[in-house]
Amino acid sequence: MASDLSGYFDVASTAPLHPVARQALTAALDEGWADPARLYRSGRQARMLLDAARETVAEAIGARADEVAFTTSGTQAVQLGMLGALRGRRRVGRHLLHSAVEHSCVLHTADRHRAEGGEVDVVPVDRGGRVRVEAFTARPDTALAVLQSANHEVGTVQPVAEVAERCGGVPLLVDAAQSVGRLPVPAGWSLLTASAHKWGGPAGVGVLAVRKGVRFASALPADEREGGRVPGYVNVPAIVAAAASLRAVRAEAEAENARLHALVERIRARVPRLVPEVEVVGDPVRRLPHLVTFSCLYVDGEVLLSELDRAGFAVSSGSSCTASTLTPSHVLAAMGVLTEGNVRVSLPYGAPESAVDRFLTVLPELVAQVRAPLGLDLPAPAPAERELVIDALGKRCPLPVIELAKRIGEVPPGGLVVVLSDDEAARLDIPAWCEMRGEEYAGHAPAADYGADRGVAYLVRRRP
Amino acid sequence: MASDLSGYFDVASTAPLHPVARQALTAALDEGWADPARLYRSGRQARMLLDAARETVAEAIGARADEVAFTTSGTQAVQLGMLGALRGRRRVGRHLLHSAVEHSCVLHTADRHRAEGGEVDVVPVDRGGRVRVEAFTARPDTALAVLQSANHEVGTVQPVAEVAERCGGVPLLVDAAQSVGRLPVPAGWSLLTASAHKWGGPAGVGVLAVRKGVRFASALPADEREGGRVPGYVNVPAIVAAAASLRAVRAEAEAENARLHALVERIRARVPRLVPEVEVVGDPVRRLPHLVTFSCLYVDGEVLLSELDRAGFAVSSGSSCTASTLTPSHVLAAMGVLTEGNVRVSLPYGAPESAVDRFLTVLPELVAQVRAPLGLDLPAPAPAERELVIDALGKRCPLPVIELAKRIGEVPPGGLVVVLSDDEAARLDIPAWCEMRGEEYAGHAPAADYGADRGVAYLVRRRP
């Protein structure tokens, strides 16, 4: 990469191209450049590469290859998927259900459906952004239900399998743009959509999978490409690169997810201690490993973004698809949380720990600077309500673990316990205890973050 | 390129990636990978590259930058362009006009329009594939007229400016996929569509230009991208590469067009002399420089394509978008010409003369071989009716030119005169005479093609 990417914290918008994707793209521009619909050698070769890429993607999402069509973006996948299912099931009815926190492309498509005489119900979410399963109620005339796998703004993972079960025979379209390549694909989808540039593939490749047996009628005039679901010339080199990248990120996912999960936990825990009047939003436990959002009272999001940019950090604010207009996010509004001074941090694979720490150093200064002209007298930042710090410094094993076991009940489910310890054994014992007890080990942070002059802060999230 | 491309004669399907496009793509993957809708540095940089690419394309097609939107394919450009104009002008009426020889994506979109209650009139073409201008008649309720700049199967250039004038106030969508980058964009369009992979850009980039003042309402749910005309994430690196390639091919166009025009003329002239019972189709004069189509009686197109493939030649047959199914071409059917054993040759920039000559050597053998099992007694191939060979061997300047001037009236307009000469001066004199007289100099061929043992065959096409 030509520029320094260490402060690029906006992977939920687009991921930098994975090195494997770049190699595959270069190779496929040589080997797969011809029209895969042609019968001559170079055409057949492109077709073989396309077939192999389709197999890779199908395997990754738990589909059959003939259920997978490639689109040219995640948005196109959602639009053609929703409109195709609504059109295919028109005889059943014209009722559409979706959660209140879907990507704007779902909302736009629902608006269009409504404008053309369809009926739309929007299912509310809780304060953590999690859809209310009991409100996801299909009717006899429901043609389609839509739910994301995880929210793109606050990282909350949705209860897809439960909603799918509740939907019964109604097809559920799962917009998995934020999770494919990172997390297992949830069970229960009838249509699944994804976007390659979110997982380190090139732009220009989306995925639309439709389970066998789901009625589907193309919203656009169909041609012979992509099983009649996505018209237009097929971009084989980009698709090959997208599939290669998907394989690569899936191989890295377990290790990188754990690492990024701990870095995000550090941001979640520290920001409320470093910045006064801040709210970290989204479900603290059932969340994407790499994404965290917080809102700073009395702060103009655009100004803060621009200050962070100057300091070398690329982050997003408000709704990921309306950030260019900076209108308040419909996601935050639906959750009923603060939308002011909103910052979304989404860490790419390989994001350096040092950059996260630098972000945590820079952020409080910049927020203070932005707030300075307001002449406010803000209270000093306080630890979050749902957080407990156990000072086990100087105590030898097994005392830190015993303290932890005794006191974890003091935080509510989803709350955070921070164990400060300078005993090296804690490094192994605390994660092992979490594993045994089914609590979530959320990584470690410098003890200095919690005011200690030595040792390490071990973070444990109480299971809900 | 990894494989030998010298026999790749199917640029009308897709062009090999131009070296300039490849360089630009590599650079833009570094510099323009971020989301151009974002406000941070890498986003702004992507936006600047996108803006510059838009300026380049706008300049090439004679549009303002804000009239140009990027799509993800030529087909998408046509579909969104047609549907957007039909939707935007719904109050005017629902009548659609298009020529009988448009690309299948136009026909598919017209079918959809008809299925949804619209009315469609199909304008016939002459035997050369040229639309009948006098039949291109708009009505008060005509919402849109559609005409290609040049035909993708037979290369006939359409009278766009005349049709535009005839359409009066009705917007004309010009599908310029086969000509942008090669020929000047015709005057009179209201909407213009193109496809980057036809001019050596990468796959995944189309162009939809809409003149200011033309009513347009997006057929798909719109977002904030591409002026609300094309929803979904914008593929900046591919667009940058497409624009770079367009600049490069336009710079080469004049020289390459002349060279390819002569090579195609050689194919047009020689095939009927080498292969019995063959018909070269398409307008011999008002044609794309690089494309020629002929049909061989008693031959199965698929078998011939596969034999040519084995011999190292990649060509197309029938309709370029239905070649995978090998159904008879609607273009050839509308022209009323032979569809059997159809071969389309479309030469990429840089196609070597030697490969064309090898093609002309191999073709007659392969056709004969394919026909052999039929046990036909075919007449020896004869020179085309509209062709005159003047033997000026041994005659010194200015005698060859005088012969030419005297006898060109013997062929009908559009007919070919072949002057065999071994006087070096003819090489300059014959083109100069053509220039002066307004006849078309169509290049030269080996005199051996015309049975001579020495000299050069100079080809002159009589202007219609």
Side-chain angles (χ1 to χ4, degrees):
Chain A
M1 294 289 161
S3 46
D4 174 25
L5 282 181
S6 67
Y8 183 73
F9 289 173
D10 196 22
V11 72
S13 286
T14 194
L17 192 64
H18 195 288
V20 164
R22 180 182 283 249
Q23 282 169 21
L25 183 61
T26 305
L29 288 171
D30 285 339
E31 305 296 335
W33 59 274
D35 184 343
R38 291 287 173 259
L39 302 174
Y40 42 73
R41 192 182 321 243
S42 52
R44 294 194 310 268
Q45 195 170 304
R47 163 66 59 183
M48 284 192 301
L49 290 172
L50 177 60
D51 289 346
R54 200 184 307 278
E55 291 283 353
T56 296
V57 170
E59 195 268 324
I61 62 173
R64 288 165 39 166
D66 60 356
E67 292 173 332
V68 173
F70 290 106
T71 67
T72 59
S73 69
T75 289
Q76 197 196 30
V78 165
Q79 292 189 343
L80 297 187
M82 285 180 66
L83 295 172
L86 288 167
R87 212 177 146 87
R89 286 173 50 84
R90 197 144 47 174
R91 287 199 193 165
V92 172
R94 306 203 64 194
H95 181 237
L96 168 69
L97 261 180
H98 67 78
S99 92
V101 295
E102 298 302 308
H103 189 271
S104 56
C105 65
V106 172
L107 273 62
H108 294 151
T109 309
D111 287 347
R112 174 59 64 95
H113 182 61
R114 201 183 283 110
E116 288 175 352
E119 196 182 340
V120 181
D121 271 330
V122 179
V123 184
V125 297
D126 66 21
R127 213 173 185 279
R130 193 166 192 262
V131 73
R132 296 194 186 277
V133 176
E134 72 284 1
F136 227 108
T137 308
R139 310 187 317 208
D141 66 336
T142 303
L144 181 68
V146 179
L147 180 63
Q148 63 200 184
S149 60
N151 186 268
H152 52 297
E153 283 191 50
V154 299
T156 301
V157 170
Q158 301 291 357
V160 170
E162 290 166 70
V163 167
E165 196 161 335
R166 204 176 150 78
C167 283
V170 172
L172 178 67
L173 183 150
V174 175
D175 170 12
Q178 292 298 333
S179 70
V180 164
R182 298 179 183 275
L183 299 179
V185 170
W189 59 269
S190 292
L191 299 98
L192 187 105
T193 62
S195 173
H197 73 98
K198 310 283 190 191
W199 72 59
V205 181
V207 174
L208 170 59
V210 182
R211 287 271 186 237
K212 283 285 134 196
V214 173
R215 293 188 74 90
F216 188 95
S218 175
L220 288 175
D223 58 20
E224 84 284 13
R225 310 274 183 181
E226 295 300 291
R229 292 194 169 133
V230 188
Y233 189 72
V234 178
N235 189 347
V236 174
I239 289 168
V240 168
S245 176
L246 184 55
R247 264 197 308 271
V249 296
R250 288 182 78 212
E252 299 162 20
E254 200 177 342
E256 268 302 276
N257 281 347
R259 197 178 72 81
L260 298 181
H261 192 278
L263 291 177
V264 161
E265 200 62 45
R266 189 180 303 177
I267 297 171
R268 292 187 72 94
R270 285 207 65 193
V271 163
R273 309 182 127 260
L274 296 170
V275 180
E277 304 286 351
V278 76
E279 182 177 14
V280 180
V281 298
D283 194 302
V285 175
R286 291 164 299 202
R287 65 169 175 83
L288 290 171
H290 63 292
L291 192 153
V292 55
T293 295
F294 52 87
S295 299
C296 310
L297 208 56
Y298 318 124
V299 168
D300 178 330
E302 185 170 4
V303 173
L304 182 55
L305 253 56
S306 134
E307 292 298 328
L308 282 166
D309 178 37
R310 232 179 300 233
F313 293 102
V315 297
S316 194
S317 178
S319 173
S320 71
C321 259
T322 52
S324 59
T325 54
L326 289 164
T327 51
S329 147
H330 70 273
V331 172
L332 302 178
M335 292 165 63
V337 297
L338 191 65
T339 62
E340 266 182 19
N342 182 256
V343 173
R344 177 184 72 184
V345 171
S346 55
L347 304 175
Y349 278 12
E353 181 176 2
S354 59
V356 171
D357 286 335
R358 197 169 76 75
F359 177 79
L360 288 169
T361 306
V362 160
L363 177 74
E365 295 161 15
L366 294 179
V367 173
Q369 185 183 313
V370 170
R371 283 170 171 168
L374 304 173
L376 298 164
D377 186 18
L378 296 175
E385 272 173 48
R386 292 150 58 92
E387 180 180 310
L388 169 72
V389 179
I390 299 173
D391 182 352
L393 291 166
K395 299 191 180 161
R396 306 301 302 269
C397 195
L399 289 179
V401 171
I402 289 171
E403 286 278 308
L404 169 62
K406 269 186 180 159
R407 300 193 57 196
I408 193 162
E410 293 175 29
V411 297
L416 189 72
V417 181
V418 180
V419 183
L420 302 175
S421 170
D422 52 359
D423 183 353
E424 263 305 304
R427 191 177 293 275
L428 296 171
D429 285 354
I430 292 178
W433 179 86
C434 290
E435 178 71 29
M436 222 177 72
R437 285 280 298 267
E439 303 294 350
E440 184 186 7
Y441 179 64
H444 62 272
D449 289 3
Y450 296 87
D453 59 356
R454 66 188 197 280
V456 174
Y458 298 96
L459 312 179
V460 177
R461 180 71 70 183
R462 190 177 164 194
R463 282 266 170 216
Chain B
M1 293 289 163
S3 47
D4 174 25
L5 282 181
S6 66
Y8 183 73
F9 289 174
D10 196 22
V11 72
S13 287
T14 194
L17 192 64
H18 195 287
V20 164
R22 179 181 285 249
Q23 283 167 20
L25 183 62
T26 304
L29 288 172
D30 285 339
E31 304 297 336
W33 59 275
D35 184 344
R38 292 285 173 257
L39 303 174
Y40 42 73
R41 191 181 322 241
S42 52
R44 295 194 308 269
Q45 194 169 305
R47 163 67 59 183
M48 284 191 302
L49 291 171
L50 178 60
D51 289 345
R54 201 183 307 279
E55 292 283 352
T56 297
V57 171
E59 195 268 323
I61 62 173
R64 289 166 38 169
D66 61 356
E67 293 173 332
V68 173
F70 290 107
T71 66
T72 59
S73 69
T75 289
Q76 197 197 29
V78 165
Q79 292 190 342
L80 297 187
M82 286 180 65
L83 294 172
L86 288 168
R87 213 177 146 87
R89 287 173 49 85
R90 197 145 46 175
R91 288 196 193 168
V92 173
R94 306 203 64 195
H95 181 238
L96 169 68
L97 262 179
H98 67 78
S99 92
V101 295
E102 298 301 308
H103 188 271
S104 56
C105 65
V106 171
L107 274 61
H108 293 151
T109 308
D111 286 346
R112 174 60 64 95
H113 182 61
R114 200 184 283 110
E116 288 174 352
E119 196 182 342
V120 181
D121 271 330
V122 178
V123 184
V125 296
D126 67 18
R127 210 170 188 278
R130 193 165 192 263
V131 73
R132 295 194 186 278
V133 176
E134 72 284 0
F136 227 107
T137 308
R139 310 188 317 207
D141 66 335
T142 304
L144 181 68
V146 179
L147 180 62
Q148 64 201 185
S149 59
N151 186 268
H152 53 298
E153 282 190 50
V154 299
T156 300
V157 170
Q158 300 292 356
V160 169
E162 290 166 68
V163 167
E165 196 161 334
R166 204 177 150 78
C167 284
V170 172
L172 178 66
L173 183 150
V174 175
D175 170 11
Q178 292 299 334
S179 69
V180 165
R182 298 178 183 275
L183 299 179
V185 171
W189 60 267
S190 293
L191 299 99
L192 187 104
T193 62
S195 173
H197 73 98
K198 310 283 190 192
W199 72 60
V205 181
V207 173
L208 169 60
V210 182
R211 287 270 186 237
K212 284 285 134 195
V214 173
R215 293 189 73 90
F216 189 95
S218 175
L220 288 175
D223 58 22
E224 83 285 14
R225 311 274 183 180
E226 294 302 291
R229 292 196 169 131
V230 189
Y233 188 73
V234 178
N235 189 348
V236 175
I239 288 168
V240 168
S245 175
L246 184 55
R247 265 196 307 271
V249 296
R250 289 181 78 213
E252 298 162 20
E254 200 177 343
E256 269 301 276
N257 282 346
R259 198 179 70 82
L260 297 181
H261 192 278
L263 291 177
V264 162
E265 199 62 44
R266 189 179 303 178
I267 297 172
R268 292 188 72 93
R270 287 207 64 195
V271 162
R273 309 182 128 261
L274 297 169
V275 180
E277 305 284 351
V278 77
E279 183 178 14
V280 180
V281 299
D283 194 302
V285 176
R286 291 165 298 202
R287 65 168 174 85
L288 290 171
H290 63 293
L291 192 152
V292 55
T293 296
F294 53 87
S295 299
C296 311
L297 208 56
Y298 318 124
V299 167
D300 177 330
E302 184 169 5
V303 173
L304 182 55
L305 254 57
S306 133
E307 291 299 327
L308 282 166
D309 177 37
R310 231 179 302 231
F313 293 102
V315 297
S316 194
S317 179
S319 172
S320 72
C321 260
T322 52
S324 59
T325 54
L326 290 164
T327 50
S329 149
H330 71 273
V331 172
L332 302 178
M335 292 165 61
V337 297
L338 191 64
T339 61
E340 266 181 20
N342 182 257
V343 172
R344 177 185 72 184
V345 171
S346 55
L347 303 175
Y349 278 11
E353 182 176 2
S354 60
V356 171
D357 285 335
R358 198 170 74 77
F359 177 78
L360 288 169
T361 307
V362 161
L363 178 75
E365 296 160 16
L366 294 179
V367 173
Q369 186 183 312
V370 171
R371 283 170 171 167
L374 304 173
L376 297 164
D377 186 18
L378 297 175
E385 273 173 49
R386 292 150 59 91
E387 181 179 310
L388 170 72
V389 179
I390 299 173
D391 183 352
L393 292 167
K395 299 190 179 160
R396 306 301 303 267
C397 196
L399 290 179
V401 171
I402 291 172
E403 288 276 308
L404 170 61
K406 271 189 186 156
R407 300 191 57 194
I408 192 163
E410 293 177 29
V411 299
L416 190 71
V417 180
V418 179
V419 182
L420 302 176
S421 171
D422 51 0
D423 183 353
E424 263 304 304
R427 191 177 294 274
L428 296 172
D429 286 353
I430 291 179
W433 178 87
C434 290
E435 178 71 28
M436 223 176 69
R437 283 282 298 267
E439 303 293 350
E440 185 186 8
Y441 179 64
H444 62 273
D449 291 3
Y450 296 87
D453 60 357
R454 65 187 196 281
V456 174
Y458 299 96
L459 312 179
V460 177
R461 179 72 69 186
R462 187 175 166 196
R463 284 265 170 217

